[in-house]
Amino acid sequence: MMGRGGWLLLLLAVAIGWWYSPLSPRKPHGYERLDAAPTQSATADAARDASPVACALPPRVAPFDSPLQTPVPANLAPFRLRAATLTPLAGFSIDARVLSRRDYRSDREAGLAPVDFALGWGRMRDDAVLARLTITQSSRWYHYRYGGEPPIPQAEIDRSAANMHLIPGSTEIAAELRKVDAGERVRIDGWLVEAQAPDGWHWRSSTSREDTGAGACELIYVCAVTRL
């Protein structure tokens, strides 16, 4: 038979085992394992921690010409950022007037593109034309309004201006983009991209200056920006 001392030792061992078990009151039920999937808020925070990767410049547009779109070199690898991997779709170089700018902080896209520029080229950079248009931005769109007849044909407005989502390729480029104001002339060189996040979220650039509506905006990984 087990003596009183033996029973006490057995009870003590059981108590210690219970204390360090998952049922112990020292650790609340439903605690998160270290290898558990991240919460939605953690994923959102990570999406805003995009680490820029340097990129080579595409062919550059001539001053005052329409935007230049060029093929992607075979040796250009995707840009792997923390928030998403960017697959180049085309080289892109634009010399344009900033019709409006809008900064974003709260949407998921802000983790990649913290600013949109509405840019105009051709006659959409002329003071006489712009004086008759009201241009605004919201929810990653740009809008224009006019009274009476448009200052130039509406089809020309649509193909000579666009809203562009800008992903800075470095902290220096991000700082330069923050300095740009509406009304300025800028040159932007980079790559039209498709962004793909590990959780399946994606964002794809337009590759046409002729389209309008949903999906018509350019998503640009900016390798250089120059205020002209």
Short mmCIF file of all heavy atoms in Angstrom, two decimals, residues 128-152:
data_model
loop_
_atom_site.label_atom_id
_atom_site.label_comp_id
_atom_site.label_asym_id
_atom_site.label_seq_id
_atom_site.Cartn_x
_atom_site.Cartn_y
_atom_site.Cartn_z
N ALA A 128 -6.07 77.13 -71.10
CA ALA A 128 -7.38 77.50 -71.64
C ALA A 128 -8.37 76.33 -71.55
O ALA A 128 -9.56 76.54 -71.32
CB ALA A 128 -7.24 77.96 -73.09
N VAL A 129 -7.89 75.13 -71.72
CA VAL A 129 -8.75 73.94 -71.62
C VAL A 129 -9.09 73.65 -70.16
O VAL A 129 -10.26 73.46 -69.79
CB VAL A 129 -8.05 72.72 -72.26
CG1 VAL A 129 -8.84 71.44 -71.98
CG2 VAL A 129 -7.89 72.93 -73.76
N LEU A 130 -8.08 73.67 -69.31
CA LEU A 130 -8.28 73.31 -67.91
C LEU A 130 -9.12 74.34 -67.17
O LEU A 130 -9.81 73.99 -66.20
CB LEU A 130 -6.93 73.15 -67.22
CG LEU A 130 -6.05 72.02 -67.80
CD1 LEU A 130 -4.71 71.97 -67.08
CD2 LEU A 130 -6.77 70.68 -67.71
N ALA A 131 -9.11 75.59 -67.64
CA ALA A 131 -9.91 76.61 -66.99
C ALA A 131 -11.40 76.32 -67.10
O ALA A 131 -12.20 76.81 -66.28
CB ALA A 131 -9.60 77.98 -67.60
N ARG A 132 -11.81 75.52 -68.06
CA ARG A 132 -13.22 75.20 -68.25
C ARG A 132 -13.61 73.84 -67.68
O ARG A 132 -14.74 73.39 -67.87
CB ARG A 132 -13.56 75.28 -69.74
CG ARG A 132 -13.41 76.69 -70.32
CD ARG A 132 -13.84 76.74 -71.77
NE ARG A 132 -15.18 76.17 -71.96
CZ ARG A 132 -15.67 75.81 -73.14
NH1 ARG A 132 -14.92 75.94 -74.23
NH2 ARG A 132 -16.88 75.31 -73.23
N LEU A 133 -12.68 73.21 -67.00
CA LEU A 133 -12.95 71.90 -66.42
C LEU A 133 -12.80 71.96 -64.90
O LEU A 133 -11.94 72.66 -64.38
CB LEU A 133 -11.96 70.85 -66.96
CG LEU A 133 -12.04 70.52 -68.45
CD1 LEU A 133 -10.88 69.60 -68.83
CD2 LEU A 133 -13.38 69.87 -68.80
N THR A 134 -13.65 71.22 -64.20
CA THR A 134 -13.49 71.02 -62.76
C THR A 134 -13.04 69.58 -62.57
O THR A 134 -13.74 68.65 -62.96
CB THR A 134 -14.81 71.27 -62.02
OG1 THR A 134 -15.23 72.62 -62.24
CG2 THR A 134 -14.64 71.02 -60.53
N ILE A 135 -11.86 69.41 -61.96
CA ILE A 135 -11.26 68.09 -61.82
C ILE A 135 -11.13 67.74 -60.35
O ILE A 135 -10.62 68.54 -59.55
CB ILE A 135 -9.89 68.03 -62.52
CG1 ILE A 135 -10.10 68.20 -64.03
CG2 ILE A 135 -9.16 66.72 -62.21
CD1 ILE A 135 -8.83 68.34 -64.82
N THR A 136 -11.61 66.56 -59.96
CA THR A 136 -11.53 66.10 -58.57
C THR A 136 -11.10 64.63 -58.55
O THR A 136 -11.12 63.95 -59.57
CB THR A 136 -12.89 66.24 -57.86
OG1 THR A 136 -13.88 65.49 -58.59
CG2 THR A 136 -13.31 67.71 -57.79
N GLN A 137 -10.73 64.16 -57.36
CA GLN A 137 -10.38 62.76 -57.14
C GLN A 137 -11.04 62.25 -55.88
O GLN A 137 -11.17 62.98 -54.90
CB GLN A 137 -8.86 62.59 -56.99
CG GLN A 137 -8.06 62.77 -58.26
CD GLN A 137 -6.57 62.80 -57.95
OE1 GLN A 137 -6.06 63.81 -57.45
NE2 GLN A 137 -5.87 61.72 -58.24
N SER A 138 -11.45 60.98 -55.90
CA SER A 138 -11.98 60.32 -54.71
C SER A 138 -12.04 58.83 -54.96
O SER A 138 -12.23 58.38 -56.10
CB SER A 138 -13.38 60.84 -54.37
OG SER A 138 -14.31 60.52 -55.40
N SER A 139 -11.83 58.04 -53.90
CA SER A 139 -11.98 56.58 -53.95
C SER A 139 -11.21 55.95 -55.10
O SER A 139 -11.69 55.03 -55.76
CB SER A 139 -13.46 56.20 -54.04
OG SER A 139 -14.17 56.72 -52.94
N ARG A 140 -10.00 56.49 -55.37
CA ARG A 140 -9.10 55.98 -56.41
C ARG A 140 -9.61 56.23 -57.82
O ARG A 140 -9.17 55.59 -58.78
CB ARG A 140 -8.85 54.47 -56.21
CG ARG A 140 -8.14 54.13 -54.89
CD ARG A 140 -6.69 54.55 -54.90
NE ARG A 140 -6.01 54.23 -53.65
CZ ARG A 140 -4.71 54.41 -53.45
NH1 ARG A 140 -3.97 54.92 -54.40
NH2 ARG A 140 -4.16 54.10 -52.29
N TRP A 141 -10.51 57.20 -57.97
CA TRP A 141 -11.00 57.63 -59.28
C TRP A 141 -10.67 59.12 -59.46
O TRP A 141 -10.48 59.84 -58.48
CB TRP A 141 -12.51 57.47 -59.40
CG TRP A 141 -13.00 56.06 -59.44
CD1 TRP A 141 -12.98 55.13 -58.43
CD2 TRP A 141 -13.63 55.41 -60.55
NE1 TRP A 141 -13.55 53.96 -58.83
CE2 TRP A 141 -13.96 54.09 -60.13
CE3 TRP A 141 -13.94 55.81 -61.84
CZ2 TRP A 141 -14.59 53.17 -60.97
CZ3 TRP A 141 -14.59 54.89 -62.67
CH2 TRP A 141 -14.89 53.60 -62.24
N TYR A 142 -10.65 59.56 -60.71
CA TYR A 142 -10.63 60.99 -60.96
C TYR A 142 -11.86 61.34 -61.80
O TYR A 142 -12.36 60.52 -62.57
CB TYR A 142 -9.31 61.40 -61.64
CG TYR A 142 -9.38 61.82 -63.09
CD1 TYR A 142 -9.47 63.16 -63.44
CD2 TYR A 142 -9.34 60.87 -64.12
CE1 TYR A 142 -9.51 63.55 -64.78
CE2 TYR A 142 -9.38 61.24 -65.44
CZ TYR A 142 -9.47 62.58 -65.77
OH TYR A 142 -9.53 62.96 -67.08
N HIS A 143 -12.37 62.54 -61.58
CA HIS A 143 -13.60 62.98 -62.24
C HIS A 143 -13.40 64.36 -62.83
O HIS A 143 -12.65 65.18 -62.28
CB HIS A 143 -14.76 63.05 -61.23
CG HIS A 143 -14.85 61.84 -60.33
ND1 HIS A 143 -15.60 60.73 -60.65
CD2 HIS A 143 -14.29 61.58 -59.12
CE1 HIS A 143 -15.49 59.84 -59.69
NE2 HIS A 143 -14.70 60.33 -58.74
N TYR A 144 -14.06 64.62 -63.95
CA TYR A 144 -14.04 65.99 -64.52
C TYR A 144 -15.47 66.39 -64.86
O TYR A 144 -16.32 65.57 -65.19
CB TYR A 144 -13.12 66.08 -65.74
CG TYR A 144 -13.54 65.25 -66.94
CD1 TYR A 144 -14.48 65.73 -67.87
CD2 TYR A 144 -13.00 63.99 -67.16
CE1 TYR A 144 -14.86 64.98 -68.96
CE2 TYR A 144 -13.38 63.22 -68.25
CZ TYR A 144 -14.30 63.73 -69.15
OH TYR A 144 -14.69 62.97 -70.24
N ARG A 145 -15.72 67.69 -64.77
CA ARG A 145 -17.02 68.27 -65.10
C ARG A 145 -16.80 69.54 -65.91
O ARG A 145 -15.76 70.19 -65.81
CB ARG A 145 -17.82 68.61 -63.84
CG ARG A 145 -18.25 67.40 -63.02
CD ARG A 145 -19.15 67.78 -61.85
NE ARG A 145 -18.43 68.54 -60.83
CZ ARG A 145 -18.61 69.82 -60.57
NH1 ARG A 145 -19.50 70.54 -61.26
NH2 ARG A 145 -17.94 70.41 -59.62
N TYR A 146 -17.80 69.89 -66.70
CA TYR A 146 -17.75 71.14 -67.47
C TYR A 146 -19.17 71.62 -67.68
O TYR A 146 -20.14 70.85 -67.62
CB TYR A 146 -17.03 70.96 -68.81
CG TYR A 146 -17.55 69.83 -69.65
CD1 TYR A 146 -18.67 70.01 -70.49
CD2 TYR A 146 -16.95 68.58 -69.62
CE1 TYR A 146 -19.15 68.97 -71.26
CE2 TYR A 146 -17.43 67.53 -70.39
CZ TYR A 146 -18.53 67.73 -71.21
OH TYR A 146 -19.02 66.69 -71.97
N GLY A 147 -19.31 72.89 -67.93
CA GLY A 147 -20.61 73.47 -68.23
C GLY A 147 -20.76 73.71 -69.71
O GLY A 147 -19.82 74.15 -70.38
N GLY A 148 -21.95 73.40 -70.26
CA GLY A 148 -22.16 73.61 -71.69
C GLY A 148 -21.36 72.62 -72.52
O GLY A 148 -21.27 71.44 -72.20
N GLU A 149 -20.74 73.11 -73.59
CA GLU A 149 -19.93 72.27 -74.46
C GLU A 149 -18.55 72.05 -73.84
O GLU A 149 -18.00 72.94 -73.19
CB GLU A 149 -19.78 72.93 -75.83
CG GLU A 149 -21.07 73.01 -76.63
CD GLU A 149 -21.61 71.62 -76.97
OE1 GLU A 149 -20.81 70.75 -77.35
OE2 GLU A 149 -22.83 71.42 -76.84
N PRO A 150 -17.95 70.87 -74.04
CA PRO A 150 -16.60 70.64 -73.52
C PRO A 150 -15.59 71.52 -74.25
O PRO A 150 -15.79 71.87 -75.42
CB PRO A 150 -16.36 69.16 -73.80
CG PRO A 150 -17.25 68.84 -74.96
CD PRO A 150 -18.48 69.70 -74.76
N PRO A 151 -14.50 71.90 -73.59
CA PRO A 151 -13.51 72.76 -74.23
C PRO A 151 -12.79 72.09 -75.40
O PRO A 151 -12.33 72.77 -76.32
CB PRO A 151 -12.53 73.07 -73.10
CG PRO A 151 -12.71 71.95 -72.11
CD PRO A 151 -14.14 71.57 -72.20
N ILE A 152 -12.68 70.78 -75.36
CA ILE A 152 -12.17 69.97 -76.47
C ILE A 152 -13.06 68.73 -76.53
O ILE A 152 -13.81 68.46 -75.59
CB ILE A 152 -10.69 69.57 -76.28
CG1 ILE A 152 -10.47 68.81 -74.96
CG2 ILE A 152 -9.78 70.79 -76.33
CD1 ILE A 152 -9.05 68.31 -74.73
#
